Amino acid sequence: MLWIPGPTEVRPEVLAELARPAIGHRTPGMAELHERIDPPLKNAFGLASESSSTVAVHSTSGTGMMEAALRGAGQRVLCVVNGAFSRRFSQVAESLGKDVHVLDVVWGFGVEPDVLAAALEEHGPFDAVTVVANETSTGVRTPLGPIGEVVRQHEDTHLLVDTVSYIAGMPVDFDTNGLDFAFAGVQKALALPPGVAVFCASERYLERARGVSDRGFFLDPVRVLEGHVNRKTPITPAIPHYYALARQLEDIDAGVTLPEGERGKRGAEAWRARYEKHDRMRERTQAWAAGHGLEPFPGEGFRSSTVSCISGGDLDVAAFVAGLKELDYEISNGYGDLKGRTFRIGHMGDHMEPDLEALLGAADGVIAKLSAQPTA
Ligand SMILES: Cc1ncc(COP(=O)(O)O)c(C=O)c1O
């Protein structure tokens, strides 16, 4: 069973959607798929019914959407870097020839609002700020509201947010938090096979993007978003993935993926209950770790509800991960420099609390076995 920080387990009924007979992408059937996707996707981004922001789907990955977000942004970009994926966001910006200022934050923490405010004052003005809401490499969640508030003090600065391992696990609240562009691949907390990405853009982002020249074609956010809105995707989309996306979003929206006692919940209430399930899983995982004398890697206040990154202490992390794999539980070693020093448990997507108990029980067994072994 996959407990890595994505891709994660996909429910069989969602997988079955991928096997539907092919349809043409310029047909009423395809338009109908778009119609099914949009309302629950708005709930995934936490849009109010009167919101002027627009949601869309593209047949690409999370990294593809980093590039798309930046293709519609202005030239001067401040990139908050606190892990491997936020570093990638800055590298994508550099590769597009943007004028990039990197605001380095110690791994294990999110950017503090006053630090961001000072960087914007000192090094600005900027057209955009990039932030990764949930650093999958470190299990760090950056609270979005205070960041949005800071960016909103700068009228011409747009906030571009990677919500790849965040959406459907924690509330995006796109408008309330002052986001201008947010995106995600679907293989993480949305619990779908990789293959498409979802995104949301504010009116002011789109207004500016329309004026940016040389936005390319395949990753032009305006072209892709307008294609979605007009039910005329600029390319042949990954149609089977649209079926799976529609089914999964509708099921989340209808409370189908919730613990049994909560299945009567619908719409925004069902999404909130999903986030609360992930909060409980974070708490439980941390309590389990504490029972073994292990600490979360992220600082207090920055701990993700979808990915727990735990410092391994004296534990032989590679042997621990391998021991669990033997029992058919896949978790991840630390990312990059954190390999061997941390491990990551992706309690995201449709995993349920009894499944987590089973994993942690197996982990207890592996740790007991490792500590019984004589050290070399
Ligand atoms: C936070 C974050 N951003 C971006 C990516 C890259 O996404 P993709 O591999 O779909 O391009 C990942 C992948 O793990 C991620 O965790």
Side-chain angles (χ1 to χ4, degrees):
M1 192 177 258
L2 283 178
W3 287 88
I4 59 174
T8 192
E9 291 289 322
V10 181
R11 292 180 301 132
E13 51 271 48
V14 173
L15 274 181
E17 294 288 332
L18 297 172
R20 284 186 180 275
I23 59 167
H25 60 296
R26 303 281 182 242
T27 60
M30 191 65 204
E32 207 177 285
L33 268 178
H34 281 89
E35 305 293 339
R36 286 176 56 199
I37 287 168
D38 281 359
L41 187 54
K42 285 182 184 168
N43 280 340
F45 281 104
L47 298 186
S49 52
E50 70 279 6
S51 173
S52 58
S53 303
T54 312
V55 295
V57 182
H58 193 26
S59 304
T60 185
S61 76
T63 310
M65 287 313 304
M66 282 180 179
E67 185 163 335
L70 287 158
R71 282 185 176 278
Q75 185 60 21
R76 297 154 304 176
V77 184
L78 183 148
C79 297
V80 175
V81 174
N82 63 334
F85 293 103
S86 42
R87 185 169 56 205
R88 181 183 299 185
F89 213 169
S90 73
Q91 288 165 340
V92 172
E94 277 160 10
S95 77
L96 289 170
K98 303 284 181 189
D99 301 330
V100 177
H101 176 81
V102 170
L103 174 55
D104 269 313
V105 176
V106 175
W107 288 32
F109 295 86
V111 66
E112 295 287 356
D114 58 334
V115 173
L116 179 61
L120 286 168
E121 284 300 333
E122 196 181 329
H123 304 285
F126 292 99
D127 297 307
V129 171
T130 68
V131 173
V132 172
N134 194 65
E135 248 303 347
T136 320
S137 58
T138 57
V140 164
R141 168 199 191 164
T142 296
L144 294 175
I147 300 303
E149 228 167 86
V150 167
V151 176
R152 275 290 149 108
Q153 306 298 314
H154 299 260
E155 220 180 290
D156 294 327
T157 310
H158 294 175
L159 180 55
L160 319 180
V161 180
D162 171 324
T163 59
V164 171
S165 56
Y166 184 106
I167 197 168
M170 293 169 275
V172 178
D173 291 335
F174 185 90
D175 293 319
T176 317
N177 285 331
L179 275 50
D180 289 291
F181 196 100
F183 60 87
V186 295
Q187 69 273 23
K188 309 271 184 186
L190 270 168
L192 283 157
V196 290
V198 293
F199 65 104
C200 185
S202 70
E203 240 177 352
R204 66 183 208 137
Y205 170 89
L206 284 171
E207 210 171 289
R208 173 172 307 155
R210 287 191 180 99
V212 175
S213 52
D214 301 329
R215 298 189 306 267
F217 193 103
F218 180 72
L219 293 171
D220 171 3
V222 178
R223 187 186 298 272
V224 174
L225 185 133
E226 287 177 351
H228 182 93
V229 168
N230 299 321
R231 309 325 190 198
K232 271 195 183 143
T233 54
I235 52 138
T236 311
I239 298 166
H241 291 266
Y242 275 61
Y243 276 118
L245 176 64
R247 171 70 190 262
Q248 177 68 342
L249 287 171
E250 283 175 345
D251 279 358
I252 296 174
D253 217 60
V256 170
T257 65
L258 291 172
E260 220 168 293
E262 296 190 273
R263 289 199 187 139
K265 294 182 175 169
R266 300 277 178 276
E269 200 191 7
W271 287 88
R272 259 197 314 279
R274 187 176 174 90
Y275 308 142
E276 285 161 10
K277 177 192 78 170
H278 290 296
D279 289 345
R280 291 193 300 273
M281 289 170 117
R282 178 200 63 219
E283 291 299 319
R284 175 66 188 112
T285 306
Q286 280 179 30
W288 166 85
H292 288 281
L294 302 173
E295 296 258 338
F297 178 75
E300 188 79 51
F302 295 108
R303 293 170 188 164
S304 163
S305 294
T306 54
V307 183
S308 281
C309 181
I310 309 286
S311 295
D314 293 335
L315 185 69
D316 180 341
V317 170
F320 175 57
V321 172
L324 275 171
K325 179 96 196 308
E326 269 174 35
L327 301 173
D328 206 22
Y329 290 104
E330 282 191 54
I331 67 163
S332 286
N333 204 320
Y335 194 102
D337 292 347
L338 294 175
K339 194 168 179 176
R341 291 170 47 210
T342 63
F343 59 89
R344 292 170 299 154
I345 299 177
H347 35 73
M348 53 175 58
D350 295 331
H351 280 308
M352 292 294 192
E353 285 149 290
D355 306 325
L356 181 64
E357 289 308 322
L359 165 72
L360 298 178
D364 286 338
V366 174
I367 290 178
K369 211 164 144 189
L370 289 176
S371 29
Q373 280 169 4
T375 43

